Amino acid sequence: AVTLALSVATIVAGTVLGLLFAVLRMSRVRVLQVLSTMYTTFVRGVPTLVFIYIVYYGINWNASPFVAGIVA
């Protein structure tokens, strides 16, 4: 049940963020296009496991592993 909830939450969050960055990339404001492109290029270049380690160990917060999994 936890895996299913984590999967659904991650899919929803990823879809929302993906749509947001797609809209920013198609924006007529050049700064928003560049920021969106820079973020996308950075995220594509960093392995997923590195993001998981940064979110779970690198950020000093008291979140549960479930929340850290959604954020990563």
Side-chain angles (χ1 to χ4, degrees):
V2 174
T3 303
L4 183 61
L6 183 62
S7 298
V8 169
T10 304
I11 288 169
V12 169
T15 301
V16 169
L17 283 175
L19 286 172
L20 173 70
F21 282 104
V23 169
L24 289 177
R25 190 126 185 216
M26 294 186 305
S27 172
R28 292 185 178 162
V29 179
R30 183 76 175 145
V31 174
L32 295 178
Q33 289 178 355
V34 170
L35 289 175
S36 175
T37 302
M38 287 173 49
Y39 174 80
T40 304
T41 303
F42 175 75
V43 169
R44 283 183 182 171
V46 178
T48 306
L49 188 58
V50 173
F51 280 124
I52 293 170
Y53 281 144
I54 289 171
V55 169
Y56 192 71
Y57 294 113
I59 299 174
N60 190 11
W61 61 345
N62 293 326
S64 68
F66 184 81
V67 173
I70 293 172
V71 172

